[in-house]
């Protein structure tokens, strides 16, 4: 009698599993057809809008915002490459600000990077009204897409040798915590 009960229980479980699995599998197959989601792309100037905002705290900081204006999810890899005015090199990246994962932006969502423009320890400062921003490729050994030139706050900003930019962050508060 126990053997008959086990067989009936096993048969019932198998029938329930099959009933649940077949529709789920069929739904997966249908999703992989023409209605499938597009694969994420790298964030670039072509699929984002980049803006710069002066912040009250911390002092001598700016907030860089990249908003996904495209129709596909994009990855904001690493940190943005910044060029203030006619400077000869990109602004230093603050390695300690590296997030746990790549920042992923669904359409309409934003990523943030904090920029320190100067400090008492800095040297070779200059005032500029121009900023170039280039998104990083995945390997962080070059740029992705073309450079964008967001407007700096009125009157420009003072930048010196202590300037740095953080990695892309999902929250503005995280970008400005450095």
């Amino acid at each position: 009698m126990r053997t008959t009960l086990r067989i009936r229980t096993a048969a019932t479980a198998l029938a329930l599993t099959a009933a649940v699995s077949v529709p789920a599998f069929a739904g997966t197959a249908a999703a992989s057809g023409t209605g499938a989601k597009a694969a994420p792309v790298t964030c670039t100037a072509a699929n984002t809008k980049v803006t710069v905002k002066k912040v009250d705290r911390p002092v001598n900081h700016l907030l860089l915002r990249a908003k996904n204006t495209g129709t596909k999810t994009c990855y904001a890899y690493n940190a943005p490459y910044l060029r203030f005015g006619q400077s000869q090199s990109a602004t230093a990246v603050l390695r300690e600000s590296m997030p746990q994962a790549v920042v992923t932006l669904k359409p309409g969502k934003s990523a943030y990077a904090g920029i320190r423009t100067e400090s008492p320890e800095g040297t070779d400062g200059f005032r500029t009204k121009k900023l170039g921003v280039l998104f990083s490729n995945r390997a962080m050994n070059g740029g992705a897409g073309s450079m964008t030139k967001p407007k700096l706050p009125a009157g420009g900003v003072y930048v010196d040798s202590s300037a740095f930019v953080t990695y892309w962050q999902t929250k503005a508060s995280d970008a400005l915590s450095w």
Side-chain angles (χ1 to χ4, degrees):
M1 182 143 158
R2 282 190 170 178
T3 304
T4 306
L5 184 58
R6 284 185 191 159
I7 291 172
R8 284 185 188 161
T9 305
T12 303
L14 184 59
L16 285 173
T17 302
V20 171
S21 297
V22 171
F25 180 74
T28 303
S32 65
T34 57
K37 286 187 176 182
V41 297
T42 301
C43 295
T44 65
N47 59 15
T48 63
K49 177 177 172 127
V50 178
T51 56
V52 179
K53 176 182 168 183
K54 185 175 168 79
V55 295
D56 293 330
R57 291 181 184 215
V59 295
N60 303 326
H61 276 68
L62 301 171
L63 181 65
L64 189 66
R65 177 183 178 204
K67 182 177 181 180
N68 183 347
T69 57
T71 58
K72 298 178 183 178
T73 296
C74 71
Y75 294 130
Y77 291 114
N78 307 304
Y81 294 114
L82 304 183
R83 182 176 180 195
F84 282 98
Q86 298 301 317
S87 57
Q88 297 297 312
S89 61
T91 303
V93 173
L94 185 65
R95 302 286 177 208
E96 296 84 17
S97 67
M98 184 185 296
Q100 293 289 331
V102 172
V103 175
T104 303
L105 301 180
K106 291 183 179 183
K109 297 300 180 184
S110 297
Y112 305 89
I115 305 168
R116 180 176 76 183
T117 56
E118 63 175 304
S119 75
E121 295 81 28
T123 60
D124 302 321
F126 60 95
R127 181 162 291 282
T128 185
K129 293 182 179 183
K130 295 182 180 181
L131 172 64
V133 178
L134 183 63
F135 285 87
S136 174
N137 64 19
R138 184 176 184 166
M140 199 173 183
N141 62 4
S146 61
M147 186 175 285
T148 184
K149 298 177 181 177
K151 289 184 180 182
L152 286 173
V157 295
Y158 185 81
V159 181
D160 67 23
S161 63
S162 68
F164 66 72
V165 62
T166 67
Y167 278 74
W168 289 112
Q169 308 290 328
T170 56
K171 297 179 191 173
S173 58
D174 291 343
L176 294 172
S177 67
W178 303 95

